[in-house]
Amino acid sequence: MAENKRDFYEVLGVSRGASDDEIKKAYRKMAMKYHPDKNPGDKQAEDKFKEVNEAYSILSDADKRNKYDRFGHAGVDPNAGFGGGGFGGFGGGGGFEDIFDIFGGMFGGGGAAQRRRNGPMKGRDLQYAITISFEEAAFGTKKQIQVNKFVACHACDGSGSEKGTNKKACEKCHGTGEQRTVKNTPFGTFQSSTPCDECNGTGEVNEHPCKECNGSGKVRKTVTIAVEIPAGVDNDSVISIRGQGEPGTNGGPSGDLYVVVTVTPHKMFKRNGSDLILEMPISFTQLALGDDIIVPTLSEKISYKIPPGTQPDTVFRIKGKGIKSVRTGKTGDLYIKVELEIPTKLTGEQKKKIKELGTVLGQESYTKKSKFAETMKELFK
């Protein structure tokens, strides 16, 4: 969700017409400034470092930069425009490993990216949007959703190799996944690392790739997943289901699935946190004389006594008739706002009776009206 992200050019401090070299130089400067090795324990610097890396990953790629220039963040957001039943990756497994190589061992971690490529990596997290009714949100529900995603290949059990065979260590890099080069300069000797071109940085060579998954260890499949939606969820609530993302690599754990909830509006009730608000039309007679009214709740009808002389827009509270809070477990209240409804379709006889009632009541029956009249007399003496 990219609505709160800063402009990528602003992040790197370059103009929109900046050249590739200018962008690379700006990135090196910013990454050096906020690198975790230089700012240990500084959460703000860590966030800035991630922001700088993300900006560079887009602006250093010609295709992504073009999409970003045309459509902004939405053009490079894999989740932009997804609807019910859709999903997008959150990252987890892609990362910025290649970006770090630009430092060439500058921070003493020359082979960090390759080691990460060799080591266990968590699978991609996925996102799924679901729409439920107001009542389902209030009381909780169970849903079956279908997600099209990568799963471990059944033919090779996710290994990527034909059954009965194994990958072997790359002879070119001796299983390290990286090729090291040493350069002598007037400033000293510098060592840098690049991914091995023989095994693409994995450290292993697959001589007998699985025919089902072409050696990737993953196949795309539509999977049915049960989702438990707790009582009290609201719009934009996110339900996390561990391990239901895509499979990891090199023995890494599977990613997670994040279900984003949208709740349809109710015909009668409005919601404020765990409280419910009901606007209820009441007649003049009921407000003036008081009445026992029938009030709907989400689960039942209850009787409530309105006292005589109740004014329009008065709000009454009925405890414990709201919605259960996901966070605290406590149930909110129901607030009833009474609204005076004036009849519009009157017969001649009804109009006559209302005029007679007005004469009988007199101005003194109306406290506010009487005070208003007295104040007006004083103003125009």
Side-chain angles (χ1 to χ4, degrees):
M1 301 180 182
E3 54 269 23
N4 295 323
K5 288 184 178 180
R6 285 204 298 152
D7 179 77
F8 287 150
Y9 291 96
E10 180 186 341
V11 170
L12 294 181
V14 296
S15 67
R16 287 190 168 268
S19 66
D20 292 345
D21 285 341
E22 288 174 329
I23 289 174
K24 182 177 288 188
K25 288 178 181 178
Y27 166 68
R28 285 187 177 184
K29 180 180 177 181
M30 299 294 283
M32 285 274 289
K33 181 179 179 180
Y34 296 114
H35 196 280
D37 287 356
K38 284 197 170 186
N39 303 273
D42 189 338
K43 182 65 169 61
Q44 188 175 3
E46 180 183 345
D47 292 339
K48 289 279 189 182
F49 186 67
K50 291 178 180 177
E51 187 181 43
V52 167
N53 277 320
E54 183 179 19
Y56 182 72
S57 72
I58 299 300
L59 300 185
S60 62
D61 184 296
D63 182 55
K64 290 179 181 178
R65 183 180 180 181
N66 179 51
K67 290 178 180 177
Y68 178 74
D69 288 343
R70 294 176 62 194
F71 306 110
H73 290 295
V76 292
D77 184 354
N79 300 319
F82 73 83
F87 68 91
F90 273 94
F96 299 102
E97 290 89 341
D98 293 331
I99 292 177
F100 291 128
D101 290 345
I102 197 170
F103 296 107
M106 195 175 294
F107 298 102
Q114 286 72 35
R115 284 192 289 275
R116 280 193 295 275
R117 195 177 284 111
N118 272 337
M121 293 174 61
K122 182 182 177 183
R124 284 206 316 163
D125 294 334
L126 303 178
Q127 181 176 343
Y128 186 97
I130 188 171
T131 300
I132 61 175
S133 70
F134 196 91
E135 288 81 3
E136 287 175 325
F139 299 113
T141 186
K142 293 181 180 179
K143 293 288 186 179
Q144 298 283 331
I145 63 173
Q146 290 191 321
V147 179
N148 187 265
K149 63 173 185 174
F150 281 106
V151 298
C153 175
H154 67 280
C156 64
D157 296 325
S159 70
S161 300
E162 290 286 356
K163 284 191 174 181
T165 65
N166 294 304
K167 296 177 182 178
K168 71 171 188 176
C170 175
E171 295 180 358
K172 188 169 185 178
C173 65
H174 305 290
T176 64
E178 61 189 51
Q179 295 171 302
R180 296 179 178 273
T181 56
V182 178
K183 292 182 179 180
N184 294 315
T185 73
F187 303 101
T189 301
F190 288 88
Q191 181 175 275
S192 63
S193 301
T194 57
C196 174
D197 56 9
E198 183 72 23
C199 63
N200 295 318
T202 64
E204 295 180 316
V205 176
N206 192 0
E207 293 184 319
H208 304 282
C210 171
K211 295 181 176 64
E212 187 74 21
C213 63
N214 295 319
S216 68
K218 305 172 186 178
V219 293
R220 186 170 285 280
K221 184 180 179 182
T222 298
V223 180
T224 300
I225 300 171
V227 182
E228 185 91 26
I229 299 177
V233 297
D234 205 348
N235 267 319
D236 298 325
S237 293
V238 179
I239 299 169
S240 173
I241 307 178
R242 292 179 63 85
Q244 286 293 358
E246 293 188 343
T249 55
N250 299 329
S254 295
D256 301 325
L257 173 64
Y258 295 92
V259 180
V260 182
V261 178
T262 297
V263 182
T264 57
H266 197 276
K267 293 180 179 179
M268 296 179 67
F269 297 101
K270 294 179 181 178
R271 182 173 176 178
N272 182 22
S274 58
D275 295 327
L276 290 176
I277 301 169
L278 175 66
E279 296 178 351
M280 194 166 183
I282 304 291
S283 71
F284 168 79
T285 306
Q286 289 175 302
L287 292 178
L289 303 178
D291 195 11
D292 287 319
I293 61 173
I294 301 300
V295 178
T297 71
L298 283 176
S299 59
E300 59 183 338
K301 296 177 182 178
I302 59 175
S303 177
Y304 189 82
K305 187 173 184 64
I306 292 181
T310 296
Q311 297 299 305
D313 298 329
T314 299
V315 177
F316 298 101
R317 181 177 71 162
I318 302 179
K319 291 185 177 181
K321 292 299 179 182
I323 292 176
K324 182 180 179 181
S325 169
V326 175
R327 185 172 58 87
T328 65
K330 296 180 179 179
T331 302
D333 303 324
L334 171 62
Y335 289 87
I336 308 165
K337 181 181 180 182
V338 294
E339 295 186 332
L340 173 62
E341 182 177 12
I342 305 297
T344 55
K345 297 178 181 179
L346 297 171
T347 65
E349 183 64 22
Q350 288 171 330
K351 291 178 182 178
K352 180 181 177 182
K353 294 292 184 183
I354 291 175
K355 285 183 179 180
E356 291 176 357
L357 176 62
T359 303
V360 171
L361 289 174
Q363 185 164 288
E364 62 275 5
S365 299
Y366 297 92
T367 303
K368 290 183 180 180
K369 188 175 181 182
S370 297
K371 287 183 178 180
F372 182 84
E374 289 175 8
T375 303
M376 191 166 66
K377 281 182 181 179
E378 292 177 3
L379 287 173
F380 292 97
K381 276 183 180 179

